[in-house]
Amino acid sequence: MNILELHDLTIRTTDGRTLVDGLSLALAPGERLGLIGESGSGKSLTSLAVLGLLPAGMTASGRVVLAGAPITGASERELTGVRGRDAAIVFQEPLTALDPLMRVGRQIAGPLGRRRGLKGTALRQAVTAALEQVRLPDPERVARAFPHEISGGQRQRVALAMALACEPKLLIADEPTTALDVTVQAELLTLLDTLVRERDMALLFVSHDLAVVAKIADRVLVMRNGRAVETGEVREIVGAPREEYTRELVNSARRLESALDLRSGR
Amino acid sequence: MTSANPLESTASTPSTPSTAPEASAVKRRANRSYTLITGCAVAGLIVLLALVSFLWLPYAPDDTSGGRLAPPGADHLLGTDKLGRDLFTQVMTGSRIAVEAGLGSVLIAATVGVTLGVLAAFAQGWLDDTLSAFLDILIAFPTLLLAMLIVAARSATLESAILAIGLAQSAVVGRVVRVLVKRVLAQDYITAARTSGTSWLRITAGHILPNIWPTLVVNLALQFGLAVLAEAGLSYLGLGAPPPNASWGGMLQEAQSTFTTAPAGALAPGILLVLLVIGVNLIADGLRDTLDPAARGRGV
């Protein structure tokens, strides 16, 4: 059984614009799919629709099935049960992903306590363990810190720890490395790769950066203007793109790479 | 202003830190905010006057034995009004009424305003529109007219004035709260909390209220000053506290005709009114500096 299935997902605004148009995809347990496209292509909306988290003024039609449970048309109460247990999400901007007025430890303790029914010392240990597992040095200090007291990369690790706290079967990562420095970006990708492998999670990785997606995903789905342009194994898409738009994407990514080669060769 | 010194120490006691490691940070923040301390000292002086008025007054409020329009002197620190009542006594009861008006109105504004604001922020579609329209109408509705309606329905008491001011301010607070909550709701950490299955009640208590709190407190402090002014305005028009407990606004009205011959009757309440409002505004300013998470984030 697939962990996630989208059948003909269409997202419209109340004033009639179509933002995602008839998107279908399926994700098997442990599979990694990269959702790639430029801004406004509907890739982030798709990832929000998977959890029933569309902003006000947008409606989804078609079918979204997450771990066997229908998401489209489900009530808020049903959704609250599904979210976190089956799927969790990591956002692009690590600063807004954490409550600026709450110590990091307490933010992780929330879902941990609810999911596993932990309290007191056991909860504190679980929080430390959660921070350790995302390779944060000195987890006890980080747990006591406010979000603005740690670096962007550390914040993103904390956000990752929060998402993993509920042991989801599917992790949705919405441009998780875009706001980070290149070196930190590479570290975080490696960490994400390890964690997803260790836990045998499925991964839906949303990005505009083909190089990043190629590093982390098995399959790629290219989106443009709310429609799926092309889908396939990373190797096929990068090696032999069939569609014009995909070819452009690949070429521009290549040009950047070759600029680096040229300069270093000189 | 030697009498302000003991107040400065009382003003800083509430911020006395409970835990040792945070002590230096809190102290630094407090030091940074001279405005807060000055504001507490100025407003505290008047609060002190109000508190003392419960225990002791130089004369009974309705004691007219002082002679008409006596000049300031040993018997009557600020002189007497045209009915022979001691002005300092009136100033003291006036400060009590002013502080009560400020606290009462802000309490109503906070309770009603926050509830309406949070509801409007969570509501979508027609409910949000209806609530917003209601708040807009309440803001546009003149406070004076509202006060007259309430006085007509009840009677001209301090409570009526507080009710009118509080309701009028609820609309302003509600408007501010609605925007603040909407802004917090748009943040990723709210989505993240929803993703991890947190209920709306927990999100409101755990994330939304703490995040709007700094701005809300500053706004409420400003509303306190406005409420004091509004109460003075209402009692100037005879819509506030009835005699013999003179309010500052009432004193100003009574002293108006004798201002050239006995200016103390108007100057005393006028100066205290200005001091209280300035003090409260300074507190609001200082609170903004100490509570603003962005300013705190810049941390020295």
Side-chain angles (χ1 to χ4, degrees):
Chain A
M1 193 188 76
N2 287 325
I3 180 84
L4 174 67
E5 285 178 22
L6 304 187
H7 298 285
D8 200 23
L9 173 71
T10 302
I11 300 174
R12 283 198 186 86
T13 56
T14 37
D15 54 8
R17 280 180 302 138
T18 305
L19 302 175
V20 173
D21 191 2
L23 186 73
S24 298
L25 63 86
L27 202 57
E31 197 183 5
R32 302 169 177 199
L33 176 69
L35 209 54
I36 191 162
E38 58 201 19
S39 45
S41 61
K43 54 191 195 311
S44 287
L45 280 180
T46 305
S47 67
L48 287 177
V50 166
L51 292 168
L53 290 170
L54 282 181
M58 292 184 194
T59 49
S61 58
R63 245 162 32 97
V64 177
V65 182
L66 178 63
I71 296 294
T72 36
S75 73
E76 184 70 23
R77 178 174 298 183
E78 287 163 348
L79 287 175
T80 307
V82 173
R83 292 179 199 139
R85 188 183 66 214
D86 295 321
I89 189 161
V90 179
F91 293 100
Q92 171 174 359
E93 188 50 65
L95 195 53
T96 61
L98 300 175
D99 186 336
L101 296 182
M102 202 187 267
R103 286 177 201 280
V104 164
R106 255 189 78 200
Q107 305 202 34
I108 300 182
L112 266 182
R114 262 194 314 283
R115 284 289 293 159
R116 301 202 207 144
L118 298 176
K119 278 199 180 91
T121 324
L123 182 58
R124 218 167 16 250
Q125 281 167 352
V127 167
T128 313
L131 289 171
E132 256 166 3
Q133 139 218 311
V134 290
R135 318 290 191 268
L136 272 166
D138 201 356
E140 266 137 38
R141 186 189 63 81
V142 173
R144 279 194 307 271
F146 283 104
H148 70 258
E149 292 169 339
I150 57 179
S151 74
Q154 286 174 327
R155 279 197 286 267
Q156 201 58 303
R157 282 164 196 257
V158 170
L160 190 56
M162 276 176 72
L164 296 180
C166 299
E167 294 171 352
K169 302 183 198 100
L170 167 68
L171 181 67
I172 300 171
D174 186 358
E175 307 239 14
T177 61
T178 306
L180 304 175
D181 295 340
V182 186
T183 46
V184 182
Q185 190 174 346
E187 279 172 27
L188 201 84
L189 279 178
T190 315
L191 174 69
L192 199 59
D193 185 53
T194 319
L195 289 172
V196 169
R197 184 166 347 104
E198 277 173 6
R199 292 157 174 257
D200 206 23
M201 283 184 294
L203 177 69
L204 183 64
F205 192 97
V206 179
S207 179
H208 66 272
D209 190 336
L210 189 63
V212 171
V213 170
K215 189 170 156 60
I216 193 110
D218 311 320
R219 278 199 306 135
V220 183
L221 190 144
V222 183
M223 283 184 78
R224 191 183 197 192
N225 296 335
R227 290 165 193 266
V229 173
E230 187 169 358
T231 180
E233 299 287 318
V234 172
R235 200 176 310 125
E236 293 169 18
I237 296 283
V238 176
R242 290 185 297 270
E243 298 293 325
E244 182 59 35
Y245 178 65
T246 319
R247 209 168 298 141
E248 272 175 42
L249 270 180
V250 174
N251 285 342
S252 43
R254 284 253 162 77
R255 265 201 298 282
L256 278 174
E257 295 284 315
S258 57
L260 210 58
D261 292 342
L262 259 172
R263 293 278 167 134
S264 59
R266 203 180 267 181
Chain B
M1 285 284 271
T2 44
S3 60
N5 282 339
L7 284 166
E8 275 181 32
S9 59
T10 52
S12 58
T13 32
S15 63
T16 303
S18 47
T19 49
E22 284 178 9
S24 61
V26 171
K27 208 169 168 187
R28 234 183 296 130
R29 253 185 274 155
N31 282 345
R32 212 158 20 122
S33 185
Y34 293 111
T35 40
L36 187 60
I37 295 167
T38 318
C40 284
V42 173
L45 183 74
I46 286 153
V47 172
L48 192 70
L49 266 186
L51 288 178
V52 170
S53 79
F54 281 105
L55 305 172
W56 174 83
L57 285 169
Y59 294 88
D62 50 1
D63 183 348
T64 54
S65 63
R68 298 185 68 225
L69 296 173
D75 282 349
H76 298 282
L77 208 54
L78 295 172
T80 59
D81 70 357
K82 58 186 171 190
L83 295 176
R85 294 173 299 191
D86 180 49
L87 276 177
F88 193 70
T89 307
Q90 292 195 40
V91 159
M92 283 179 76
T93 58
S95 59
R96 182 206 297 176
I97 288 171
V99 172
E100 280 174 357
L103 283 180
S105 310
V106 165
L107 205 67
I108 294 175
T111 321
V112 181
V114 170
T115 313
L116 285 181
V118 170
L119 274 181
F122 272 109
Q124 277 154 14
W126 66 269
L127 188 56
D128 184 22
D129 293 343
T130 314
L131 280 170
S132 300
F134 174 70
L135 292 177
D136 280 346
I137 291 171
L138 206 53
I139 288 175
F141 203 80
T143 312
L144 185 60
L145 194 55
L146 187 67
M148 282 167 68
L149 287 176
I150 290 177
V151 166
R154 305 178 76 223
S155 58
T157 60
L158 180 60
E159 287 74 28
S160 299
I162 290 177
L163 193 61
I165 300 166
L167 282 182
Q169 292 188 331
S170 306
V172 181
V173 173
R175 256 304 196 191
V176 172
V177 167
R178 175 179 168 274
V179 173
L180 289 174
V181 173
K182 279 217 180 255
R183 207 170 58 191
V184 175
L185 280 177
Q187 300 289 316
D188 284 342
Y189 57 82
I190 298 296
T191 318
R194 287 174 66 193
T195 315
S196 69
T198 316
S199 67
W200 277 119
L201 207 62
R202 267 174 188 276
I203 289 180
T204 307
H207 292 292
I208 294 176
L209 289 183
N211 272 289
I212 70 167
W213 179 242
T215 320
L216 181 62
V217 165
V218 172
N219 191 269
L220 290 180
L222 289 172
Q223 296 296 336
F224 185 101
L226 292 175
V228 169
L229 281 178
E231 193 279 328
L234 287 181
S235 35
Y236 179 88
L237 296 170
L239 294 170
N245 283 329
S247 102
W248 291 341
M251 289 178 72
L252 284 172
Q253 202 275 328
E254 279 194 22
Q256 198 172 15
S257 53
T258 56
F259 182 69
T260 43
T261 47
L267 285 181
I271 289 172
L272 285 189
L273 186 60
V274 170
L275 278 183
L276 180 57
V277 174
I278 288 181
V280 169
N281 281 358
L282 285 177
I283 291 177
D285 249 11
L287 279 178
R288 181 158 43 214
D289 290 347
T290 36
L291 289 179
D292 183 6
R296 215 193 299 173
R298 263 181 259 124
V300 196

